[in-house]
């Protein structure tokens, strides 16, 4: 892969709206991506392997639990800092951002929000440093968009619970030390359980042959009569709202992250168009390529404004699920459209691993689907504005 010459676009001077802390956090993540992700990521994506060595660096830039209080090992930052970190990481690769999203919003968040004080003290500091890695099991083979139909279940056996079932498409599962697993009790009520690697009957086979998120490890979670200590139940919230609450936080991070992938594609295409000469002039001098580039920067700027305002609302505790859905859906679609256009600007070179664009494009196919598909988010907006649910 070529040297990383990335320069971030800021067409509407959004940096002026960021605090000194935001800029510090953002720039630290940006430098880390340039130094530790860009030089290696293409190789790991090609060989479909998660680069374990980056875990320490992710922890150091505050990517594990950015908004979790410092007393539990988190970085104690606000939601805009969290968003900026996700943006910078996904500028490098959506799969790396996935690992950080899962650890922060789908593992640390539920332990912090629904867990006991003992659970917080036991797990959060080690998750913040990456000493422990986690995953989140909601999706099942027969229940993706409709998680309320899940069949994974646990029974009360007096001094422990007995867990049975299976989860599919679980980011980080092949190497995670713990899994936050959503399962129904005997009354059919959904609860979160902390399942630890090594528990008898618990296995995590890896899913192979993905064309997308190749540098992220994805797998299954299989529970065959797994004995779960009672103290591993998250007692703070039950019902589907508990996992959906975690998804609000992760989807918010994705709304920012997608901007990073789009910025990288735009910056690469702009640089290439100015350098590539055809018919005796740079292709950037042609109206058709300028149209592509001008539309890209317009859409990135709109997405940045959406994410920034959503971050303000999140900081004030006012962001709704439907507002988060709109931003996730809009910004991921914006990014994948830009990736496809940017690929064309590079002609044949766009399909090679010399440039990051095709990797971003393929990664974004997963981002479009996970954390609620593109269509599900449209239906969430539809339900919000009409008051009528169209899922069922
Ligand atoms: P519905 O009737 O709408 O809601 C059930 C209960 O949940 C409450 N609720 C929420 N609570 C907190 N936060 C939210 N965001 C909430 N949304 C809904 C709701 O009020 C209700 O409460 P109650 O007390 O009345 O029972 O549920 P539904 O079954 O009709 O489903 C709605 C739907 C389709 C929107 C939802 O299930 C959904 O979002 N489906 C998409 C599934 C999804 O996003 N899965 C993601 C899996 S995790 C993942 O992909 C990780 S990728 C990781 C990576 O980054 O690598
Ligand atoms: P389905 O729900 O079967 O949907 C198939 C199609 O039908 C979609 O286009 C969908 O929009 C459409 N559809 C469904 N219902 C409706 C409806 N009512 N009206 C109209 N259209 C509808 N899950 C986890 O729990 N943890 C993870 O860590 C995780 N990581 C993932 C990593 C990757 C790489 C991928 C690809 C997925 C991951 N997922 C994870 C799962 C992800 O959340 C699901 O794939 C997603 O929610 C969609 O579920 P599904 O794939 O079963 O599709």
């Amino acid at each position: 892969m070529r040297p990383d010459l990335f320069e971030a676009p800021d067409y509407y001077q959004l940096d002026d709206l960021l605090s000194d802390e935001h800029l510090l956090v953002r720039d630290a993540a940006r430098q880390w991506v340039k130094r530790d992700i860009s030089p290696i990521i293409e190789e790991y994506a090609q060989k479909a392997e998660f680069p374990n060595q980056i875990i320490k660096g992710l922890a150091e830039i505050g990517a594990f639990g950015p908004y979790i209080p410092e007393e539990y090992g988190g970085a104690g930052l606000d939601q805009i800092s969290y968003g900026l970190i996700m943006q910078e990481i996904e500028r490098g690769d959506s799969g790396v951002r996935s690992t950080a999203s899962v650890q922060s919003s789908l593992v640390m968040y539920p332990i912090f929000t629904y867990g006991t004080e003992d659970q917080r003290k036991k797990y959060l500091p080690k998750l913040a440093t990456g000493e422990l890695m986690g995953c989140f099991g909601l999706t099942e083979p027969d229940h993706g968009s409709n998680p309320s139909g899940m069949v994974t279940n646990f029974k009360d056996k007096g001094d422990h619970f007995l867990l049975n079932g299976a989860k599919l498409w679980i980011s980080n599962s092949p190497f995670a030390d713990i899994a936050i697993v959503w399962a129904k009790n005997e009354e059919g009520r959904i609860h979160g359980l902390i399942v630890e690697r090594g528990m008898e009957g618990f296995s995590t086979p890896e899913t192979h042959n993905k064309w997308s998120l190749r540098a992220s490890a994805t797998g299954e979670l299989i529970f065959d009569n797994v004995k779960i200590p009672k103290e591993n139940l998250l007692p703070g919230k039950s019902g589907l709202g508990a996992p959906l609450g975690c998804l609000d936080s992760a989807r918010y991070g994705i709304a920012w992250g997608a901007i990073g992938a789009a910025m990288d594609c735009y910056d690469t295409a702009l640089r290439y168009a100015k350098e590539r000469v055809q018919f005796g002039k740079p292709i950037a001098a042609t109206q058709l390529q300028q149209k592509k580039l001008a539309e890209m920067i317009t859409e990135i700027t709109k997405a940045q404004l959406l994410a920034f305002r959503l971050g303000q609302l999140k900081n004030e505790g006012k962001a709704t699920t439907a507002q988060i859905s709109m931003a996730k859906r809009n910004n991921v679609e914006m990014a994948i459209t830009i990736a496809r256009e940017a690929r064309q600007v590079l002609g044949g070179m766009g399909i090679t691993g010399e440039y990051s664009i095709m990797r971003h494009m393929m990664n974004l196919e997963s981002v479009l689907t996970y954390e609620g598909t593109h269509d599900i988010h449209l239906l969430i907006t539809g339900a919000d504005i009409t008051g009528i649910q169209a899922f069922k």
Side-chain angles (χ1 to χ4, degrees):
M1 198 170 154
R2 288 171 181 250
D4 180 355
L5 303 172
F6 177 69
E7 286 172 42
D10 183 18
Y11 205 72
Y12 262 42
Q13 294 153 39
L14 268 162
D15 276 9
D16 293 353
L17 301 180
L18 301 178
S19 67
D20 289 346
E21 183 174 73
H22 293 148
L23 292 170
L24 260 174
V25 165
R26 198 262 325 263
D27 291 346
R30 187 168 287 174
Q31 281 160 22
W32 178 76
V33 167
K34 216 166 223 194
R35 196 192 61 217
D36 285 8
I37 297 299
S38 298
I40 60 144
I41 195 65
E42 179 63 26
E43 181 195 338
Y44 279 84
Q46 291 283 359
K47 60 184 183 186
E49 196 178 307
F50 173 71
N52 284 305
Q53 71 273 24
I54 67 171
I55 286 175
K56 191 163 169 276
L58 278 167
E60 282 167 4
I61 61 165
F64 294 157
Y67 53 85
I68 299 291
E70 286 169 285
E71 62 175 303
Y72 297 109
L77 297 167
D78 76 348
Q79 292 290 327
I80 291 178
S81 293
Y82 163 44
L84 289 164
I85 294 172
M86 295 300 116
Q87 171 187 286
E88 295 307 316
I89 297 175
E90 193 148 0
R91 206 280 294 175
D93 189 76
S94 303
V96 178
R97 197 269 307 134
S98 254
T99 293
S101 290
V102 169
Q103 184 87 341
S104 298
S105 290
L106 301 182
V107 178
M108 296 178 75
Y109 175 87
I111 293 174
F112 176 67
T113 315
Y114 313 137
T116 61
E117 192 54 22
D118 282 350
Q119 289 168 342
R120 288 189 194 126
K121 286 189 180 135
K122 178 173 175 188
Y123 296 107
L124 291 176
K126 288 183 178 170
L127 288 161
T129 59
E131 189 183 334
L132 281 182
M133 293 300 292
C135 67
F136 176 90
L138 181 65
T139 306
E140 298 188 352
D142 294 329
H143 301 94
S145 297
N146 178 25
S148 72
M150 71 173 67
V151 293
T152 297
N153 65 86
F154 62 98
K155 294 192 167 53
D156 191 332
K157 293 290 177 186
D159 64 340
H160 64 272
F161 298 122
L162 205 59
L163 178 65
N164 278 290
K167 301 286 177 180
L168 186 66
W169 292 120
I170 307 305
S171 300
N172 299 355
S173 91
F175 60 80
D177 303 288
I178 63 169
I180 303 296
V181 175
W182 301 95
K184 284 180 179 166
N185 67 8
E186 283 142 301
E187 286 78 49
R189 185 89 184 151
I190 295 172
H191 287 268
L193 298 165
I194 305 171
V195 182
E196 299 186 9
R197 185 173 293 284
M199 287 179 170
E200 207 179 324
F202 174 42
S203 56
T204 61
E206 185 158 359
T207 302
H208 295 289
N209 299 331
K210 292 179 298 167
W211 284 115
S212 176
L213 289 193
R214 288 171 63 79
S216 157
T218 313
E220 299 171 52
L221 302 174
I222 296 175
F223 315 106
D224 179 9
N225 286 319
V226 185
K227 275 187 183 176
I228 309 288
K230 286 205 158 165
E231 65 264 24
N232 283 27
L233 180 105
L234 297 174
K237 189 164 170 144
S238 65
L240 188 61
L244 290 179
C246 308
L247 295 184
D248 273 357
S249 177
R251 291 167 178 173
Y252 165 76
I254 291 174
W256 280 91
I259 298 171
M263 292 198 306
D264 197 47
C265 293
Y266 163 76
D267 180 62
T268 304
L270 177 63
R271 196 182 315 285
Y272 190 89
K274 290 199 276 192
E275 287 168 4
R276 176 72 175 166
V277 174
Q278 288 294 290
F279 299 98
K281 62 179 183 184
I283 59 170
T286 65
Q287 288 186 354
L288 283 174
Q289 303 313 317
Q290 284 195 7
K291 176 174 185 290
K292 288 192 182 75
L293 294 163
E295 285 177 351
M296 284 182 211
I297 190 62
T298 307
E299 291 308 314
I300 288 170
T301 304
K302 283 154 64 180
Q304 286 172 322
L305 291 166
L306 196 61
F308 184 79
R309 175 62 185 146
L310 187 63
Q312 288 179 323
L313 291 172
K314 268 219 130 225
N315 276 342
E316 293 162 16
K318 292 198 292 201
T320 67
T321 293
Q323 287 170 333
I324 295 168
S325 275
M326 180 184 281
K328 190 266 183 186
R329 181 174 185 276
N330 181 80
N331 289 10
V332 177
E333 182 174 44
M334 171 282 298
I336 201 165
T337 304
I338 286 178
R340 288 169 182 155
E341 291 289 306
R343 210 289 301 152
Q344 291 191 61
V345 174
L346 268 70
M349 287 311 291
I351 73 153
T352 71
E354 283 283 292
Y355 296 91
S356 54
I357 294 175
M358 192 88 180
R359 179 168 43 78
H360 283 306
M361 190 201 298
M362 296 198 303
N363 283 341
L364 288 162
E365 290 291 344
S366 289
V367 184
L368 205 59
T369 287
Y370 68 33
E371 302 273 6
T373 69
H374 192 60
D375 286 340
I376 289 295
H377 287 297
L378 177 123
L379 294 175
I380 291 174
T381 305
D384 192 51
I385 58 176
T386 63
I388 307 166
Q389 259 227 16
F391 302 106
K392 297 169 189 167

